[in-house]
């Protein structure tokens, strides 16, 4: 089994991490970049496949050289056997379509064709959810979206998955598709390890990859547009048909907040706070 996970670096939108200029535009150079949170669900799904079925997990991204650290984060925090970064200036400022064409070419260049490619639900910055499905379209593979659990039948060459219908958690259907196949993991995806052998394997692999992540560049391959034999006219900004008419900035969090400090042993002061919060704790 060879599985590949697509990922992207996004601004760290946690409070206090995001920097805006005076016009409300995001200053990416002053805002830390992290692995897109939804991609970690996809990586966990790929890791489940590794634990249960063996094989090899690759993590792939397209972006600037700084995305090397994003790939390292994915390797360290979840799991990856090796890393691929598609990067050069010609790929810059790409929309989802130009990105999909570039990533699809990267997938085709791999020495071993993937059996499964996993993508996250959407990114925390663009939130289009386009890149995974568009990459799949370029490869002309079957795709299963909103996946919350999956099982692999290697002998039959199929993947069987449970997915949310129209993204609705109250309705789930089971579908089956031949491999190679694209899987879009839903944020509701939960890995399951039913056997003791799976749980032991999970522990061993986690320890192994965390050591590997310390020297991640030994497992990193970087390809530019020439390595991928891509025409600059069809990638990056030049190959992007999308025109952005405007961007709504994320409001800044208040720089100061009112806070009441209560000592843990001050039961009299704690009582009204507990009375106020208890209804929320029980779901009222």
């Amino acid at each position: 089994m060879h599985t590949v996970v697509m990922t992207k670096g996004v601004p760290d939108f946690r409070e206090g991490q995001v920097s805006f200029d005076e016009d409300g535009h995001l200053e990416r150079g002053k805002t830390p970049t992290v692995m897109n949170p939804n991609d970690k669900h996809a990586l966990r799904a790929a890791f489940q496949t590794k634990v249960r079925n063996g094989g090899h997990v690759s993590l792939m991204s397209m972006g600037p050289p700084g995305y090397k650290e994003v790939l390292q984060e994915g390797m360290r925090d979840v799991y990856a056997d090796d890393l691929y970064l598609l990067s050069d200036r010609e790929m810059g400022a790409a929309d989802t379509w130009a990105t999909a064409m570039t990533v699809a070419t990267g997938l085709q260049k791999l020495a071993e064709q993937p059996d499964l490619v996993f993508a996250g639900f959407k990114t925390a910055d663009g939130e289009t959810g386009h890149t995974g499905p568009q990459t799949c379209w370029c490869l002309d593979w079957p795709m299963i979206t909103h996946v919350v659990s999956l099982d692999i039948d290697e002998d039959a060459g199929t993947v069987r998955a449970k997915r949310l219908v129209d993204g609705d958690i109250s309705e789930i259907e089971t579908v089956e598709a031949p491999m190679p196949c694209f899987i879009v993991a839903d944020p509701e995806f939960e890995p399951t390890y039913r056997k003791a052998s799976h749980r032991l394997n999970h522990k061993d692999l986690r320890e192994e990859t965390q050591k590997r992540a310390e020297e991640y560049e030994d497992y990193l391959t970087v390809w530019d547009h020439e390595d991928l034999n891509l025409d600059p006219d069809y990638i990056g900004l030049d190959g992007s048909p999308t025109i952005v008419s405007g961007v709504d900035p994320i409001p800044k969090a208040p720089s100061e907040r009112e806070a009441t400090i209560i000592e843990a042993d001050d039961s009299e002061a704690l009582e009204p706070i507990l009375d106020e919060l208890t209804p929320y704790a029980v779901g009222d």
Side-chain angles (χ1 to χ4, degrees):
M1 288 289 297
H2 183 202
T3 60
V4 179
V5 183
M6 296 167 48
T7 189
K8 179 189 177 184
V10 297
D12 186 348
F13 288 113
R14 288 177 296 181
E15 183 181 336
Q17 298 291 322
V18 184
S19 179
F20 298 94
D21 63 19
E22 59 184 12
D23 297 319
H25 299 144
L26 176 68
E27 294 184 299
R28 289 183 180 267
K30 296 181 180 180
T31 300
T33 299
V34 296
M35 183 179 179
N36 179 50
N38 277 324
D39 296 342
K40 292 191 177 183
H41 300 296
L43 194 50
R44 291 186 184 102
F47 187 34
Q48 174 188 281
T49 303
K50 166 84 171 185
V51 171
R52 290 189 188 178
N53 303 93
H56 192 89
V57 177
S58 300
L59 184 57
M60 179 178 287
S61 185
M62 189 191 92
Y67 276 26
K68 292 178 182 179
E69 284 72 30
V70 173
L71 292 170
Q72 181 191 27
E73 179 186 349
M75 174 179 273
R76 181 189 64 241
D77 292 353
V78 187
Y79 186 92
D81 289 297
D82 53 22
L83 311 170
Y84 291 86
L85 177 62
L86 317 180
S87 179
D88 70 10
R89 291 186 180 275
E90 300 293 348
M91 299 176 188
D95 67 1
T96 59
W97 175 241
T99 300
M101 288 196 296
T102 304
V103 173
T105 305
L107 292 170
Q108 291 173 317
K109 184 176 171 61
L110 292 170
E112 180 184 356
Q113 175 182 277
D115 298 287
L116 293 170
V117 175
F118 292 86
F121 177 58
K122 60 183 179 180
T123 59
D125 49 2
E127 292 202 344
T128 63
H130 289 174
T131 305
Q134 287 175 330
T135 304
C136 180
W137 187 89
C138 290
L139 296 172
D140 195 24
W141 289 2
M143 177 176 64
I144 308 175
T145 61
H146 293 289
V147 171
V148 294
S149 70
L150 77 159
D151 292 287
I152 309 299
D153 187 335
E154 292 184 78
D155 294 333
T158 59
V159 55
R160 186 177 179 87
K162 290 183 179 180
R163 66 179 300 273
L164 305 182
V165 178
D166 295 327
D168 184 356
I169 194 172
S170 65
E171 187 175 356
I172 296 176
E173 66 178 357
T174 301
V175 296
E176 187 174 283
M179 298 187 289
C181 180
F182 237 84
I183 301 292
V184 177
D186 193 89
E188 295 294 325
F189 183 91
E190 287 292 339
T192 56
Y193 303 102
R194 304 182 187 96
K195 300 179 180 178
S197 60
H198 292 164
R199 294 189 288 274
L200 291 171
N201 195 25
H202 179 282
K203 179 179 180 294
D204 291 342
L205 289 173
R206 287 285 292 122
E207 292 175 353
E208 172 190 310
T209 194
Q210 287 172 358
K211 293 178 181 177
R212 186 187 304 125
E214 295 175 6
E215 299 177 349
Y216 73 98
E217 291 192 273
D218 293 343
Y219 305 91
L220 172 68
T221 298
V222 180
W223 287 329
D224 61 19
H225 78 282
E226 292 182 344
D227 294 320
L228 299 174
N229 195 28
L230 286 168
D231 187 332
D233 290 340
Y234 294 94
I235 61 173
L237 181 61
D238 289 345
S240 299
T242 305
I243 298 174
V244 179
S245 60
V247 177
D248 293 328
I250 300 173
K252 278 189 174 181
S255 57
E256 294 183 1
R257 295 182 178 181
E258 293 184 4
T260 301
I261 300 175
I262 300 174
E263 299 295 334
D265 57 357
D266 189 347
S267 57
E268 185 175 341
L270 278 173
E271 187 173 342
I273 302 298
L274 290 173
D275 290 342
E276 181 181 350
L277 296 180
T278 297
Y280 298 99
V282 297
D284 292 346

